[in-house]
Amino acid sequence: MPLVKTFLGMTMIGLLFVQEAQAQRESDRCHVYMASQSAEDVKTVEKLMRQVTNLQELEKKLAEFLKILGEFDTVVGEEIATTKSFGIPGTSKFVTVTVFYTDESMAVAGIGSDSMLLSLVIADKKLDTAEGVPDCVQAETSVGAFAGKFRVKKVTVLNGKEYLIGLECDRKAPRSTVR
């Protein structure tokens, strides 16, 4: 009988480690993008969207006006931040983004206390964090069991031309709510 209890105890400990490993593997998929905001470019994009019906052809034509600067997976966990920096083409500037998770900032009854803070800053160099630095833009949301897209964006002038630079994260429902 002690052998059975030991085996069951070891099995329970093993299951806890597996659950912990799965929780650590949870992540959200994010990307940083930039889009031209000049009136001429916006009109061209609107025209292309009306005229081009083939999705692949449209994507190729829109690539001139909308660029993905980088993609990454976050690490989801209490008080965990994921920070990435990407060079902005045609400039010496960088966009640094930070995705931060906590459970102490935006508790909502019936939803829970988990939240997600998205921060974005444009600077002359790569930064250790975008969170709370001068000229950053931030968006925070309660996430709980929610899945969906979350975004923060900023309009800036680079080389005399206006651009929209954004961070968008695709949040998956937590495993505990997926059936």
Side-chain angles (χ1 to χ4, degrees):
M1 193 66 155
L3 185 59
V4 171
K5 285 185 181 178
T6 302
F7 176 74
L8 289 174
M10 295 301 266
T11 301
M12 293 302 288
I13 291 170
L15 288 174
L16 289 174
F17 282 123
V18 168
Q19 281 185 326
E20 183 64 27
Q22 285 177 340
Q24 290 174 354
R25 283 195 309 259
E26 280 189 28
S27 66
D28 295 327
R29 185 72 177 157
C30 301
H31 68 271
V32 177
Y33 62 91
M34 79 184 273
S36 173
Q37 292 294 287
S38 75
E40 183 181 315
D41 287 350
V42 169
K43 284 181 185 178
T44 301
V45 167
E46 289 172 350
K47 183 178 175 183
L48 286 170
M49 291 178 76
R50 283 192 307 273
Q51 293 177 342
V52 180
T53 56
N54 180 299
L55 185 58
Q56 290 177 327
E57 183 182 339
L58 180 61
E59 286 177 357
K60 285 180 189 174
K61 291 184 184 248
L62 291 179
E64 178 183 339
F65 306 99
L66 174 67
K67 293 178 180 20
I68 302 298
L69 301 180
E71 298 179 274
F72 62 98
D73 291 316
T74 64
V75 177
V76 177
E78 174 58 21
E79 302 293 319
I80 300 286
T82 302
T83 299
K84 299 290 181 183
S85 293
F86 303 97
I88 300 174
T91 75
S92 59
K93 302 221 179 255
F94 293 87
V95 58
T96 298
V97 296
T98 301
V99 180
F100 178 74
Y101 301 92
T102 187
D103 68 355
E104 299 168 356
S105 183
M106 296 183 67
V108 177
I111 296 190
S113 58
D114 292 337
S115 69
M116 179 181 190
L117 175 66
L118 305 177
S119 304
L120 178 149
V121 67
I122 298 161
D124 293 329
K125 62 181 183 174
K126 294 179 181 182
L127 301 176
D128 293 334
T129 185
E131 187 178 341
V133 300
D135 296 323
C136 77
V137 290
Q138 296 182 298
E140 187 170 17
T141 184
S142 297
V143 289
F146 294 124
K149 293 185 185 232
F150 299 93
R151 183 185 303 152
V152 62
K153 52 192 176 181
K154 175 182 181 114
V155 174
T156 191
V157 176
L158 300 166
N159 298 331
K161 193 172 175 182
E162 230 177 60
Y163 291 92
L164 174 74
I165 298 185
L167 163 65
E168 182 176 291
C169 294
D170 190 1
R171 179 156 174 83
K172 299 176 221 157
R175 284 186 173 84
S176 59
T177 62
V178 178
R179 299 191 196 277

